[in-house]
Amino acid sequence: LTDLAGKTAIVTGGARGQGAVEVELLATAGASVLICDVLEDEGKALAERLQSDGKSVQFFKLDVTSEDEWVAALATVRAWTGRLDVLVNNAGIINRKIIRDMTVAEWRMVMDVNATGTFIGTKLSAPLMAETGGGSIVNISSNSAFSGHYDPAYTSSKWAIRGLTRTAAMEFADDGIRVNAICPGLIVTDLNRASPHLGPMISMTPAQRAGEADEVAQLVLFLAADGSKFITGEDFVIDGGFTA
Ligand code: NAD
């Protein structure tokens, strides 16, 4: 059984969607989890629900693009448990405009949240992880990062996360920090459950269904825990065979 008792985790974008499921699974495995998200109401409500269930969970309002807010979030972790073992860089946004229609500002916003947010979180969290012998960073990319798609900023940002994952794994191995990426395909969340895009995507998926957030969270848990301690710099596609 995966046991994260005594460990501390940060999940960005943890207030809803896949991040919220990851928060709950890590907390159920015994970790103290700091939910970091721009969505204050949802994040606080999730923290309260899990606390009332006996879990060690707090919310911190963080915009992943803000270096200052990352510094404050990590100070909160230090004051709370004094250690950081797991960072899940899950926060992400999408803009489906093609290059012709996309403004430079729109491109920058997607790259800023998805790629630069992951960079800042990695850069600032690594020293705290290293203080207690290391940890595990799990970056949420996408199976979009294996080919081209008609959402250039999103696809490029998710390729960037794969590149950052490999380089960070090399740089931080000495500190005992592992860095891996998860590349999900279509995952059903409350936001897209009713989307008309689901049907065509599912018909192109060998498994003939969309994935569930819990299936991604189970992989996050595996990569967060010691059972995967020789795995670093790797990316894991979880898409029912779509990319195969
Ligand atoms: P979601 O929109 O439900 O969740 C994203 C979360 O990130 C939200 O809580 C949002 O508030 C938060 N967020 C957005 N900008 C932020 C910022 N600047 N700072 C902090 N938090 C911010 O989406 P989801 O489907 O749960 O996606 C989670 C991750 O999985 C994303 O990185 C997404 O790109 C990736 N992904 C999703 C799918 C899918 O099919 N749902 C597939 C592949 C990859």
Side-chain angles (χ1 to χ4, degrees), residues 12-20 22 36-39 42 61-66 69 89-94 109 112-114 140-144 154 157-158 161 182-192 198 201 211 213 216 238:
T12 70
R16 74 167 187 214
Q18 292 178 60
E22 291 156 15
C36 289
D37 205 299
V38 286
L39 296 176
E42 288 90 335
K61 187 167 185 290
L62 169 78
D63 179 337
V64 292
T65 66
S66 163
E69 290 179 23
N89 285 309
N90 163 80
I93 58 172
I94 191 164
M109 178 171 284
D112 214 20
V113 174
N114 298 3
I140 306 299
S141 176
S142 164
N143 72 344
S144 299
Y154 182 79
S157 73
K158 294 299 187 178
I161 290 172
I182 296 179
C183 304
L186 179 63
I187 304 298
V188 178
T189 65
D190 291 342
L191 292 190
N192 61 11
L198 282 186
M201 290 281 290
V216 177
I238 172 164

Side-chain angles (χ1 to χ4, degrees), residues 84 125-135 172 174-177:
L84 181 64
S125 299
L128 181 55
M129 284 186 169
E131 281 179 26
T132 52
F172 295 119
D174 275 358
D175 296 305
I177 298 170

Side-chain angles (χ1 to χ4, degrees), residues 2 20 46 83 121-122 125 139 168-169 201 214 218:
T2 306
L46 177 61
R83 60 184 298 135
T122 301
S125 299
N139 296 326
M201 290 281 290
D214 180 63
Q218 295 288 348

Side-chain angles (χ1 to χ4, degrees), residues 14 40 71 75 81 104 106-107 126 151 153 155 163 206 214 226 235 242:
E40 199 161 5
V71 169
T81 65
V104 174
E106 286 168 337
W107 164 273
D151 46 21
T155 294
D214 180 63
D226 280 350
D235 33 43
F242 187 93

